[in-house]
Amino acid sequence: METEEQLIPHLFRTEYSKIVAVLGRLFGFEHIETAEDIVSDTFMLAAETWGQKGLPANPAAWLYTVAKNKAKDHLKRNTIFNNKVAVTLQQNAAEAYETEIDLSGKNIADSQLQMMFAICNPIIPTEAQIGLSLRILCGFGIEEIADAFLTNKETINKRLFRAKEKLRHEHVKIEMPATVELNNRLDTVLTTLYLLFNEGYYSRSQNISLRKDLCLEAMRLTYLLTGNAVTVQPPVYALLALMCFHASRFEARTGQQGESILYGEQDTSLWDKELIARGQQYLNKASTGVQFTKYHVEAAIAFWHTQKVDSQQKWESILQLYNTLLILEYSPIAALNRTYALSKAINKESAIIEAEKLKLDDNHLYHCLLGYLYTDIDDGSALNHFEKALKLAKTKPDKKQIKLYIKQLAEHTAKTN
Amino acid sequence: MNEFALIFRNEENPDVQFSPEQMQGILGQWRNWIGGIAAQNKLANPGNRLGVEGAVIRKGGIVTDGPYAEIKEMLTGILVVRTETLEEAVELGKGCPIFSAGGSVEVRIVIPTTME
């Protein structure tokens, strides 16, 4: 049986985000802090009460009841205040006082979706969108968000405060966008979820369980989009497929000491077959209709990476997918990965010619790639590139990894000479 | 940065028939070439391939089947690259797989659209 110490943080994340979404929609961004305060108070009371009396039979229901009562009290006070002081009533608050606060599953899901569209709004910076999503949609604490972004609480608090100010100032409503602008807005939502996932998957943070939680939350929110008739669109399934394929390697990509294990060296028996199968289902659903997005291409690439065979056909397919991805949208990492695929599909010599055209000299991964490509062909050049990479690398794990490459290269050179 | 259009021309040769495998190989070469330009962040517009089916319209609403009888080389496609100089654009054009099929690439600067 779980003790309350274990249960509360777990409940906090999931239930916090649910209740905040419902109350937040009721209060609007004008009073989003009030919604957050009510929920925080509720959890504080839960910690106290449950600590003394033990867990209630249904902790979530307990939280809902307390939060509802606190919200009603607040609205009542607010209405009285407004009646006495202000001439006009605050419309939504008055309505809410009349209506029951609805914490049903359906309304929670609807509220979370609407909140998602309100937060993933291009008028605030992408980093703020991710931060607010983590706070309001995922119920992460400020400290956890700071940890994920490798920064401090103060920076995050400021960032979230400014973002809420901006949303208030622009009178952003917590609602679904009109059908005509839905696709544009859905693009922004998907970009934020994609980045949220990447934040967890590729983050430099050493906190592995936190990183995994970021990925799982990104998946949960994307999954939420598939449950709504308006937002269930092929690119959503493509993104979800991409996430499943990547997530299937969670266990395999981290070693016992928390070090990262490269794709080629992973124990493939640790790859999560169920997630791979789900990814395939989603990819099939994504392949209906005419929309063809970068998520489709990336999901297809990720699919090939779930295949254990190391055949020429696999790498030829990956190469062509990277070509397509780059034609859709350039990114340095895609350019590097394309060149790696080229070396596997054709040969290292052609890949070197292509790599040297990329002009990514200040990118440590670029030099890692050239180091890899020159190994066996010109070990001296290979070493040169690894050393440049080491100079450019900024984080400890990166430096450690590159030192390992240099060591392996030295062993390799000694063996072949 | 400037933009240059790469314009592809080739003779239409009805005698040459490619097997599906050959076709696949040729397409792969083209995609690798364009992917390589994109990987350098120099692809401004992937453009389109142009097929044989077409017509030419002249003054007075005169429509003919195509220019094919009069000119030796037919326009087969276009793409736009982003480089500083014509020389760089020409350098990119040199990698085009069209040369092994006897075609040519014309490189032309794109005149930017002004907002006026």
Side-chain angles (χ1 to χ4, degrees):
Chain A
M1 164 108 196
E2 282 183 294
T3 67
E4 49 270 34
E5 285 82 17
Q6 290 168 320
L7 186 65
I8 288 175
H10 167 73
L11 261 184
F12 192 87
R13 275 217 197 123
T14 51
E15 299 307 329
Y16 178 95
S17 61
K18 290 178 184 172
I19 308 173
V20 163
V22 171
L23 296 185
R25 180 163 69 147
L26 221 51
F27 295 176
F29 273 118
E30 291 77 12
H31 303 287
I32 187 80
E33 275 96 357
T34 310
E36 291 180 277
D37 286 346
I38 288 174
V39 189
S40 296
D41 284 353
T42 304
F43 276 90
M44 220 125 78
L45 188 66
E48 271 173 36
T49 317
W50 301 354
Q52 288 163 6
K53 296 182 185 167
L55 278 181
N58 185 343
W62 190 99
L63 292 168
Y64 291 175
T65 309
V66 173
K68 266 187 206 176
N69 288 338
K70 281 185 184 290
K72 278 187 196 164
D73 284 349
H74 170 81
L75 288 172
K76 209 171 182 178
R77 277 199 305 276
N78 211 37
T79 314
I80 293 165
F81 175 82
N82 282 335
N83 276 333
K84 280 183 180 165
V85 182
V87 184
T88 47
L89 266 174
Q90 213 174 349
Q91 196 65 35
N92 51 355
E95 275 171 16
Y97 179 49
E98 301 299 329
T99 55
E100 184 67 10
I101 295 167
D102 179 5
L103 279 159
S104 66
K106 166 97 174 59
N107 194 46
I108 287 170
D110 287 351
S111 302
Q112 285 190 319
L113 272 182
Q114 293 175 2
M115 190 61 93
M116 207 187 301
F117 275 93
I119 290 172
C120 300
N121 193 315
I123 63 168
I124 57 172
T126 311
E127 278 196 330
Q129 293 177 32
I130 298 175
L132 269 188
S133 298
L134 284 173
R135 181 69 191 134
I136 295 178
L137 294 173
C138 311
F140 279 55
I142 300 297
E143 204 161 326
E144 292 172 306
I145 302 173
D147 195 3
F149 279 111
L150 293 185
T151 179
N152 53 45
K153 283 168 76 171
E154 204 178 310
T155 309
I156 296 297
N157 269 325
K158 266 191 212 155
R159 188 183 294 169
L160 299 191
F161 179 77
R162 266 192 238 115
K164 286 184 214 167
E165 279 291 303
K166 179 78 181 168
L167 293 171
R168 261 194 284 272
H169 188 253
E170 301 284 333
H171 303 293
V172 169
K173 295 255 185 320
I174 301 169
E175 62 188 13
M176 291 302 272
T179 324
V180 279
E181 55 169 337
L182 187 98
N183 280 354
N184 273 338
R185 296 295 309 283
L186 186 60
D187 274 355
T188 312
V189 171
L190 292 183
T191 303
T192 307
L193 295 178
Y194 172 78
L195 292 173
L196 175 57
F197 185 89
N198 286 354
E199 195 63 46
Y201 205 72
Y202 301 107
S203 165
R204 310 261 179 241
S205 167
Q206 298 296 294
N207 188 337
I208 290 163
S209 68
L210 173 66
R211 290 176 49 183
K212 200 169 161 182
D213 283 350
L214 289 188
C215 293
L216 293 176
E217 280 297 317
M219 290 168 82
R220 180 180 68 82
L221 294 175
T222 311
Y223 185 73
L224 207 56
L225 289 170
T226 67
N228 180 287
V230 197
T231 55
V232 56
Q233 295 194 27
V236 177
Y237 277 122
L239 179 59
L240 194 53
L242 168 64
M243 290 171 171
C244 287
F245 291 143
H246 279 325
S248 71
R249 291 192 297 277
F250 270 146
E251 299 308 321
R253 68 200 289 266
T254 312
Q256 304 226 307
Q257 271 85 45
E259 76 279 14
S260 55
I261 299 174
L262 293 176
Y263 176 74
E265 285 145 30
Q266 288 171 6
D267 176 357
T268 55
S269 69
L270 292 176
W271 292 358
D272 188 329
K273 287 174 206 68
E274 202 190 311
L275 270 177
I276 294 173
R278 281 182 68 174
Q280 283 171 322
Q281 285 169 16
Y282 294 138
L283 192 55
N284 286 338
K285 289 188 177 175
S287 312
T288 54
V290 290
Q291 276 175 295
F292 185 68
T293 62
K294 70 166 184 167
Y295 305 119
H296 287 88
V297 188
E298 287 199 43
I301 293 170
F303 164 75
W304 274 108
H305 280 99
T306 64
Q307 302 300 299
K308 293 174 189 176
V309 288
D310 195 36
S311 65
Q312 202 256 344
Q313 192 225 337
K314 167 178 169 174
W315 288 105
E316 177 61 31
S317 304
I318 293 176
L319 170 62
Q320 291 312 339
L321 287 163
Y322 272 119
N323 284 337
T324 308
L325 183 63
L326 282 159
I327 291 168
L328 281 176
E329 187 181 292
Y330 170 81
S331 76
I333 193 77
L336 293 172
N337 286 334
R338 170 196 183 261
T339 314
Y340 178 77
L342 189 88
S343 79
K344 300 288 265 184
I346 302 174
N347 56 42
K348 281 187 168 185
E349 285 81 355
S350 345
I352 288 172
I353 296 170
E354 288 290 285
E356 291 184 337
K357 291 180 192 161
L358 297 182
K359 304 272 179 284
L360 294 168
D361 290 283
D362 51 2
N363 184 324
H364 74 277
L365 294 172
Y366 174 64
H367 292 288
C368 286
L369 174 69
L370 276 166
Y372 161 79
L373 293 174
Y374 269 118
T375 303
D376 269 342
I377 291 174
D378 177 353
D379 284 1
S381 294
L383 183 62
N384 247 330
H385 280 293
F386 282 136
E387 279 171 348
K388 266 186 205 161
L390 190 59
K391 252 183 233 158
L392 289 165
K394 287 186 187 74
T395 66
K396 261 189 194 164
D398 284 344
K399 284 181 206 273
K400 202 174 148 197
Q401 190 65 53
I402 297 164
K403 280 179 190 157
L404 183 68
Y405 292 149
I406 292 175
K407 191 170 151 252
Q408 285 168 345
L409 178 70
E411 287 164 6
H412 177 81
T413 312
K415 221 186 283 171
T416 46
N417 275 348
Chain B
M1 256 323 160
N2 287 305
E3 290 189 357
F4 294 88
L6 304 190
I7 301 153
F8 312 116
R9 288 202 174 80
N10 211 345
E11 272 180 63
E12 227 257 298
N13 191 342
D15 301 334
V16 182
Q17 292 287 330
F18 293 112
S19 69
E21 289 77 26
Q22 282 171 315
M23 210 52 222
Q24 190 69 26
I26 294 169
L27 274 179
Q29 286 174 11
W30 276 87
R31 295 211 311 238
N32 284 344
W33 175 60
I34 300 172
I37 295 172
Q40 299 172 58
N41 199 14
K42 289 178 181 167
L43 186 71
N45 190 325
N48 284 103
R49 295 197 296 150
L50 302 177
V52 178
E53 187 184 336
V56 176
I57 311 154
R58 289 194 174 79
K59 192 180 172 186
I62 299 162
V63 180
T64 53
D65 257 2
Y68 321 123
E70 292 151 49
I71 53 169
K72 209 165 159 261
E73 285 194 318
M74 189 175 78
L75 195 65
T76 58
I78 186 167
L79 72 80
V80 183
V81 298
R82 192 190 310 110
T83 62
E84 208 60 68
T85 63
L86 173 67
E87 287 68 30
E88 277 179 82
V90 167
E91 206 48 51
L92 292 175
K94 282 181 181 169
C96 182
I98 204 167
F99 303 117
S100 54
S104 69
V105 178
E106 182 178 328
V107 185
R108 299 275 297 275
I109 192 160
V110 174
I111 298 170
T113 323
T114 54
M115 295 304 283
E116 289 161 273

